[in-house]
Amino acid sequence: MTSVRMLATTTGAALVLALSGAARPATAVPAATQQDCDRATAAAEQAARDYDQLKKELQDLVAAGGHPDASQRQALADADVARSTAAAQAERICDSV
């Protein structure tokens, strides 16, 4: 009997929370401006330059007979993610202008 009561209470609480969230008005997201697009594009271009520079440094290291260590390979992977993220964000912002 206790488990049925707990189930009913949990279900009721979930229903109340769901309905209270639906009753709230949606918050307005400010519209992006051309200036926002320009800043996002500049950030994406900088991230791409950073990635390209790091990649070239590692290629030069390999060409000289060296081997990138784990931290250098991770830094390149992180720069690749930053580049992709910045490009996607710039595209999202600029598409909304």
Side-chain angles (χ1 to χ4, degrees):
M1 187 63 136
T2 303
S3 62
V4 172
R5 216 177 278 157
M6 287 184 71
L7 178 62
T9 304
T10 305
T11 304
L15 183 60
V16 168
L17 289 175
L19 292 176
S20 67
R24 274 188 246 131
T27 56
V29 177
T33 64
Q34 185 60 44
Q35 188 177 18
D36 295 332
C37 177
D38 294 342
R39 276 190 289 228
T41 301
E45 290 170 353
Q46 182 62 49
R49 284 192 298 273
D50 292 345
Y51 171 80
D52 291 340
Q53 179 182 357
L54 186 56
K55 183 176 178 182
K56 183 179 181 328
E57 289 173 7
L58 294 183
Q59 287 172 337
D60 291 346
L61 175 68
V62 170
H67 300 285
D69 64 17
S71 67
Q72 291 169 316
R73 290 190 306 269
Q74 184 62 51
L76 183 63
D78 292 345
D80 188 28
V81 169
R83 175 183 64 146
S84 297
T85 302
Q89 185 173 8
E91 183 177 354
R92 180 183 54 79
I93 291 171
C94 293
D95 282 349
S96 68
V97 172

